[in-house]
Amino acid sequence: AQSVTQLDSHVSVSEGTPVLLRCNYSSSYSPSLFWYVQHPNKGLQLLLKYTSAATLVKGINGFEAEFKKSETSFHLTKPSAHMSDAAEYFCVVSLPRQGNKLVFGAGTILRVKS
Amino acid sequence: DGGITQSPKYLFRKEGQNVTLSCEQNLNHDAMYWYRQDPGQGLRLIYYSQIVNDFQKGDIAEGYSVSREKKESFPLTVTSAQKNPTAFYLCASSTRLAGASYQETQYFGPGTRLLVL
């Protein structure tokens, strides 16, 4: 079975400091992995995706994530947090053999302090 | 502008009432999806459709129904059988290429918040 675990329900950082949002997955075959961001009362926006090409994936707004098969991790990072980064972030693994079904982590709420 | 629209933004349901949430896309995507979001639980799949006139149950289909009569539209009905309908509902769509081995990205609408009176 495939699943995804976001290790922190809340992360708080100061503006200008690095961001690390942690995600671990379990999969019986090579997964596709995504990070989505959701601002309050809004839909989800794709930040980046991994599809078995380069293991370091660059996304929008300065975010990037590294796929580490040996650690079954796909952590999201950003060198310097901005106030506008405050939102909820979802790590997602896909099931292409089941109608493109996505399995969502529970989410990590990022708070950015001034 | 291409995208996914959901209406209404807020919807109120009375006890025993069926309500229908609208989802429309002009991205020419074959596949469409409905998710329910509850606080602290991420998103859960209600129904999905890979092609017109076909749809499949997701993980929490009980108390919901859908139709897919047109490629661009995938309405969701929350029936009176759904005892806990208060949630944020998100519609998504993706392309579907036969035989593709890579993962297709799902694009999300802005959501509808359903509240029970």
Side-chain angles (χ1 to χ4, degrees):
Chain A
Q2 298 203 129
S3 67
V4 57
T5 303
Q6 292 183 242
L7 299 169
D8 306 292
S9 60
H10 293 79
V11 170
S12 183
V13 301
S14 298
E15 192 174 19
T17 65
V19 175
L20 170 63
L21 304 182
R22 299 182 295 165
C23 173
N24 285 108
Y25 69 91
S26 64
S27 175
S28 54
Y29 49 89
S30 296
S32 293
L33 294 157
F34 305 78
W35 275 99
Y36 283 88
V37 60
Q38 184 181 34
H39 289 90
N41 293 309
K42 301 289 186 184
L44 275 68
Q45 180 184 18
L46 180 69
L47 278 179
L48 50 82
K49 66 178 180 179
Y50 167 76
T51 55
S52 72
T55 55
L56 182 62
V57 183
K58 293 187 183 298
I60 61 171
N61 300 335
F63 284 94
E64 62 181 39
E66 186 172 8
F67 174 72
K68 291 187 176 181
K69 188 174 181 179
S70 60
E71 299 176 9
T72 61
S73 69
F74 190 57
H75 301 334
L76 182 70
T77 60
K78 182 173 180 178
S80 176
H82 191 270
M83 295 298 289
S84 61
D85 294 328
E88 189 164 15
Y89 292 78
F90 293 96
C91 182
V92 184
V93 64
S94 74
L95 300 177
R97 298 179 187 178
Q98 295 184 31
N100 217 15
K101 178 182 176 181
L102 299 183
V103 177
F104 286 77
T108 298
I109 295 174
L110 176 64
R111 179 183 169 217
V112 181
K113 298 174 289 185
S114 59
Chain B
D1 271 344
I4 303 174
T5 56
Q6 291 185 242
S7 61
K9 186 173 182 180
Y10 294 95
L11 184 60
F12 297 91
R13 191 189 95 163
K14 295 179 182 178
E15 194 150 343
Q17 185 182 41
N18 293 353
V19 293
T20 297
L21 285 62
S22 169
C23 177
E24 303 277 331
Q25 54 98 0
N26 62 4
L27 301 168
N28 200 32
H29 285 172
D30 284 309
M32 297 186 74
Y33 312 80
W34 273 106
Y35 293 90
R36 169 181 171 137
Q37 185 178 25
D38 296 281
Q41 293 193 43
L43 276 67
R44 293 179 290 168
L45 182 65
I46 305 173
Y47 268 98
Y48 64 98
S49 168
Q50 293 279 57
I51 200 167
V52 173
N53 293 324
D54 181 65
F55 48 83
Q56 306 294 329
K57 291 182 179 180
D59 298 320
I60 54 165
E62 186 175 350
Y64 300 97
S65 66
V66 293
S67 63
R68 187 86 187 277
E69 297 176 2
K70 298 186 296 183
K71 185 176 183 178
E72 59 270 23
S73 178
F74 191 40
L76 173 74
T77 296
V78 184
T79 74
S80 58
Q82 173 48 246
K83 298 306 178 188
N84 184 24
T86 297
F88 191 48
Y89 290 86
L90 289 159
C91 178
S93 70
S94 66
T95 59
R96 184 180 72 91
L97 299 176
S101 59
Y102 57 87
Q103 180 58 47
E104 300 139 11
T105 300
Q106 290 188 18
Y107 296 91
F108 286 81
T112 292
R113 187 164 296 281
L114 177 61
L115 299 167
V116 177
L117 295 177

